[in-house]
Amino acid sequence: MSQKIWLSSPHMGGNELKYINEAFAENWVAPLGPNVNGFEEDLEKFLGENTKIAALSAGTAALHLALIQCGVQYGDEVICQSMTFSASANPIAYCGASPVFIDSEPETWNMCPVALRNAIEDRIRNGKKPKAIIVVHLYGMPAKMDEIVSIAKEFDIELIEDAAEALGSTYKGQACGTFGRFGILSFNGNKIITTSGGGALVCHSQEDKDKIVFLSTQARDNAPHYQHSHIGFNYRMSNIVAGIGRGQMEVLKNRVEARRSMHDFYVDLFKSIDGVTVFSEPSSDFYSNHWLSAIIIETSVTRKTREALRLALLEDNIESRPLWKPMHLQPIFENAPYYGTNVSEKLFNDGLCLPSGSNLTEEEKVRIAKVINNFFSN
């Protein structure tokens, strides 16, 4: 069998071991140290917008702490984009709150501002004003942030950006993850840069960052003994993991360019295949890192389905995956309120994510193209 082509595999830059070895040499292996501080500073410089970064054990941990800092408690409601990975919604349940899911709009596949407004107005009429809004930049594509930020301000609701997939993406020149009170980053093994695991919370005040770091290190009070006045969490990033991140930050811009190049590869590949649309920016306001390149297959035109293409690629040991199954269709959230016109359901039924790694070789691209061309020509 041919060697496997992964959807999105880790891509080391070469200097990661330098930072890891320094941590070992200095015996900094705890969840603090020079690499943690350096990684946070690297991210702050990259994102700009007066950001303060707290490096954490996972993007999910970052979102959990963001909700806590926004005052989300048992019985509250939190608005969440439906088309996303479950990690965007699970922390709502961690807080004892309930999600209210919002449909996508067809241009960016992200939270629909019209459905968002309808949901907020309806929840308020029912006596339950949402406590926070979680918008996701899906596959690196920026959401329609002007409209979403405006609605959040109009109704005085805290805005949290799940930018786990969008490091390096911008909307009107501003980095994704810097529009809301908090932004979430992920460095999971399949992300555009990786620390093997890990994440970060983007803050805009030192006060917020200090509180997040306090909560993420078991909320230990300033006392010579162990004293706790708050519930704490073991969510801080280790100095070893942060060392990987420092090495990865050195190649982040190159990784973004490589992912965007893969998107262009698919645009060129599908330009002569009717009924297939490559997920692309709707205008120059949107700059996507194209963490994952995705397509929509119109079965009525192609007489083909996304599942048939997935299986054809799999037969040649090439990984591809359907789009995220919307949260309002998930068994665990089937009773949650949902507002929209089922745009996300159609995207899920017809959409496929294709291999997008920054380390794909020319030979691997040839293999991918051969399978796809054979599939649509038969």
Side-chain angles (χ1 to χ4, degrees), residues 45 58 61 66 85 105 114 116 125 150 167 184 187 190 193 197 218 222 249 278 291 295 307 321 353 368:
K45 290 176 184 176
F85 181 52
E105 39 79 13
V114 175
L116 173 62
R125 279 194 297 269
S150 177
L167 183 60
I184 311 303
F187 311 112
N190 62 358
I193 62 169
Q218 299 291 16
N222 186 19
M249 285 300 294
V278 179
W291 169 60
I295 58 171
E307 182 61 11
R321 285 190 184 173
C353 295
I368 293 167

Side-chain angles (χ1 to χ4, degrees), residues 3-23:
Q3 185 173 1
K4 181 151 187 169
I5 296 177
W6 297 95
L7 184 72
S8 178
S9 64
H11 189 184
M12 295 295 98
N15 272 345
E16 292 84 1
L17 277 176
K18 180 187 78 171
Y19 296 102
I20 293 172
N21 289 334
E22 286 175 1

Side-chain angles (χ1 to χ4, degrees), residues 18-30 33-35 239:
K18 180 187 78 171
Y19 296 102
I20 293 172
N21 289 334
E22 286 175 1
F24 273 97
E26 298 168 3
N27 203 31
W28 280 107
V29 296
N35 282 336
N239 199 53

